[in-house]
Amino acid sequence: MKKLFKKSSILLLILMLVFTFVGCQNKEVKGKFNPGTYEGTAEGLGGTITAKVTVTKDEITKIEIDAPKETESIGAGAKEQVIDRVLSSQSLAIDAVSGATVSSNAMIAAITAALEKSGADMNVLKTPADKPKEEAQKDLDVDVVVVGAGGAGMSAAIEVANAGKSVVIIEKMPIVGGNTNRATGGINAAETPYQEAAGIKDTKQTFYDDTMKGGKDLNDPELLRTLVDNAPGAIEWLNNMGAGIERVTLSGGATNPRIHSPKDASPVGPVIVKVLSNKLKEQNVNIMLETKAEKIIEKDGIVTGIQATDKNGNSFTINAKAVILATGGFGANSEMVEQYRPDLKGFSTTNHQGATGDGIVMAQTVGADLTDIGEIQIHPTTDPGTGYLFTEGLRGDGAILVNFEGKRFTDELLTRDKVSAKILEQTNGQAYLIANEEMRIENASLAGYIEKGYATKGETIAELARSLTIDEATLENTMKVYTELAKAGVDKEFGRKHMTKTLEAGPYYAIKVTPGIHHTMGGVKIDTKAHIISTEGTPIKGLYAAGEITGGVHGGNRIGGNAVADIVIFGRISGQTAVEELK
Ligand code: ADP
């Protein structure tokens, strides 16, 4: 009996050990996820976003996101951030990327949908983990610090790095590109090989005269001459980096076709941001995101660096021999807009949220002079709800404007200030841009607006009129008259010179538009070498500026296509001058 008891207890012990072992094994096999690669989708700004997520039993190891229809540069910035945040926190409880909220939320949703298939406990994944304490950013010493990673700042940094000098860019947003991401049209230049190939006769002098006239003769003549002279070279520089900007069309305020855009007429800004940021990657230039310049450091009249805050709000110093301010304009700072232009109170804006004029305010504290600061441009064709901008190129390519009564009311190709004023005179201060299928096929920007849901479609003009609750007969008559004028080539009604399309055949598209705050032409005063000029009239040593932060290039009204020229040309000049003057 005793023996039997002994035997059975040994058996029991063995059994218990086996169970414990198997139990442990099971537990280990189960893990957090069922290993594998899972796919999930969600709707983004422009269409479906797909996420492919690879997991081992207890770790998310790889995420690939395909977001072909998101605005390219914004989408790419958001993608990197979202992937990095999920992988580093191993959680879905991450913040959307500011400046790209809709896109990044959709990316998080697609990753979530993928992980739902992996057997994971979604509640655990969605619970915020304790953030590991990150080290505060240490002080840095560089030759040049560039503030702002828009088109101007990135162009500047490329030139500095090309000269073999050390450079860092600080950018307060989590993505690069600023307002440059939103540049829809193209880049102006006269006497280019692309114009020549298209048989377009244009001269630098005509470009100069058009810009001066459009700017109401307020433009600084020397800055404008610098812009005009360097514009063809700027396109070559971009194209040598792979931008493919070769299409030449007409834009408001230009005597001849001279706005150069990507071959498929897609918006120029994202293309430029992509080539510039790729180049900076290749050059190993450090772009510190979510890092904000707070103050310019100056000693005995010489600028020696920047006081900045890192992404956790820790203050640190960048000691530099040169500081280039490329912080953009102040179109998203409604208080500053109102301060300089009380009449623009309450207008919506086309600007990204980082366009708050920081650089202008900082530069003033070290004695910078301002020029044309009250000159603020409203863009005629923005979405009344969101401020989303519809490119001026649409009108250049053939679209017309009609009011809520179904009538044309202006030469659509007048300068932005004039077209805006005309729209504001119409019912509700709004109008419709009318385009047709032929234009949709030829113009990727228009196709994008339609896909994003901004347009109302009608197979015929009558159907379109009914959807817009416009009187059918009136709109039909307006279109019929326009087609006849376009065929004859003379706009007897409003004097429009280029009627690129007859708009004879449908289907038709209508996009509701209203003017919104677009570009702040004024800013810090610079000379042709991009030195910031003080109120005493002399360059501030060690301080340079380029892009929308500056005033003078555009005078009282910016011509479409000149902002991109401005940021690339003066961005490069600021980098080159800073290098030349390194002590
Ligand atoms: P530009 O067209 O002149 O290059 P953008 O608007 O494209 O101007 O770019 C300016 C960039 O500067 C934006 O990305 C913006 O977020 C950034 N910026 C603005 N203020 C600061 C600041 N205080 N510190 C760092 N970056 C800033």
Side-chain angles (χ1 to χ4, degrees), residues 102-118:
V102 180
S103 296
S104 54
N105 272 335
M107 289 173 193
I108 298 168
I111 297 171
T112 306
L115 286 173
E116 268 162 4
K117 299 172 186 165
S118 73

Side-chain angles (χ1 to χ4, degrees), residues 2 5 61-62 68 77 81 108 215 220 229 267 273 287 322 330 384 413 422 424 439 465 482-483 520 555 582:
K2 210 175 168 191
F5 178 74
T61 53
K62 190 174 171 199
Q81 293 283 329
I108 298 168
D220 178 315
D229 286 347
V273 171
I287 305 181
F330 58 97
L413 298 182
K422 293 279 183 196
L424 289 171
M439 287 185 61
Y482 184 79
T483 299
T520 47
L582 283 178

Side-chain angles (χ1 to χ4, degrees), residues 288-299:
M288 303 171 76
L289 296 175
E290 296 179 272
T291 304
K292 183 171 181 233
E294 305 283 356
K295 194 172 163 249
I296 297 166
I297 306 169
E298 180 208 20
K299 225 177 177 186

Side-chain angles (χ1 to χ4, degrees), residues 148 150-152 171-173 177-180 291 293 326-328 352 358 547-548 567:
E171 167 54 57
K172 70 175 175 178
M173 302 299 287
N179 267 346
T180 308
T291 304
T327 46
H352 87 121
D358 305 8
E548 199 176 341
I567 58 179

Side-chain angles (χ1 to χ4, degrees), residues 26-38 53-61 114-121 125:
N26 269 344
K27 209 167 171 194
E28 246 184 53
V29 166
K30 188 162 183 313
K32 270 195 212 164
F33 311 101
N34 298 322
T37 298
Y38 301 93
V53 184
T54 305
V55 290
T56 60
K57 61 188 164 54
D58 39 32
E59 201 185 350
I60 307 170
T61 53
L115 286 173
E116 268 162 4
K117 299 172 186 165
S118 73
D121 182 339
L125 281 179

Side-chain angles (χ1 to χ4, degrees), residues 498-509:
H498 298 264
M499 288 172 285
T500 336
K501 294 276 181 256
T502 60
L503 300 179
E504 204 171 2
Y508 292 94
Y509 300 94

